[in-house]
Amino acid sequence: MLDRIAEFLIFGFTPLLVVTLIAPDHSQAAERTMRGEVVYRERMALPPDAVVTVQLADVSLTDAPAAVVATQTIKPTGQVPIPFELKFDSSAIRKNASYALQARITVGHRLMFINDVRHTVDPLDDKAQAVLVRRTAASETDRESSIVGQMWSLQFIEGVGAVESKATLHIDEQGKVTGQAPCNRYFATAALKGTDIAIGKAGATMMACEQKLMTQERAFFDAMEKVVSFEVENGRLILRDAAGHDLLRFGASA
């Protein structure tokens, strides 16, 4: 009888104890994380109230809304890249289904960026993802509006450096450019599209000023003809050349 009890203890309870010790935690094993970053090509910082939303979605059905598997909402600081982590249950991933990452950036109720090309992924692949988002047409119009109608005061000329003068720049809704150069009044035309800008050759009055101001004025007009893009940030206007170099910088006048 003692031998049977010993046999029961060894071959009955012991295996159960081993199973208990090594059995995996299925709830933990099922959780997966997809990591990556949201990027855009514009050289700009996002407004302080911008919100980034990233989703992993089942896009298998073309005639039905995508089924969202995971979502993360981010309040970014500064510029891209914006890192994200999407946590989801691997048991929710269907075999032979199609999945994609969707990303958008909004400011208030306004859509600013979105990925307009499907970013297909394998949710069970641990490879980091980079989701490219593009500016919406509406936000390009907003960018154009940010430079128009404001009087800008010159602060910097490429090749000269920081300047202190009464030089200004103003662009109206019809693309007419007017202002005060370091010496003379001037006028020109500008073509705007999104953050692209082309300024035509300027005409100016023929006043003579001290040599320092005349040197600044020549550099000012030369720089204007090389401008291809602009950025407005924190009350400052930057005009850049095709290589992305700052040519002219202005501050917003009251």
Side-chain angles (χ1 to χ4, degrees), residues 177-253:
V177 182
T178 56
Q180 173 71 50
C183 177
N184 287 278
R185 297 286 303 174
Y186 70 94
F187 56 91
T189 57
L192 293 165
K193 183 178 180 181
T195 56
D196 295 337
I197 181 172
I199 302 176
K201 187 176 182 63
T205 57
M206 301 295 290
M207 290 178 57
C209 298
E210 61 178 288
Q211 186 59 44
K212 176 182 177 181
L213 293 179
M214 297 305 295
T215 299
Q216 290 181 3
E217 185 159 296
R218 283 192 295 271
F220 176 73
F221 287 138
D222 287 345
M224 284 182 65
E225 293 186 27
K226 300 175 185 176
V227 169
V228 299
S229 67
F230 74 91
E231 178 181 357
V232 177
E233 180 180 351
N234 298 326
R236 189 173 69 156
L237 168 64
I238 304 172
L239 301 180
R240 296 190 172 102
D241 64 13
H245 300 138
D246 292 4
L247 295 176
L248 298 166
R249 300 181 198 139
F250 300 82
S253 297

Side-chain angles (χ1 to χ4, degrees), residues 70-103:
T71 301
Q72 184 183 16
T73 300
I74 308 159
K75 291 187 176 180
T77 56
Q79 299 180 342
V80 290
I82 303 162
F84 66 83
E85 290 188 354
L86 292 172
K87 298 185 182 296
F88 60 95
D89 190 333
S90 61
S91 64
I93 303 304
R94 299 185 300 120
K95 187 177 182 181
N96 299 325
S98 298
Y99 293 89
L101 287 174
Q102 302 171 343

Side-chain angles (χ1 to χ4, degrees), residues 40-61:
Y40 51 75
R41 293 196 174 103
E42 286 79 359
R43 294 178 56 182
M44 59 175 287
L46 292 172
D49 54 343
V51 175
V52 181
T53 304
V54 185
Q55 295 178 328
L56 172 64
D58 184 338
V59 293
S60 304
L61 300 178

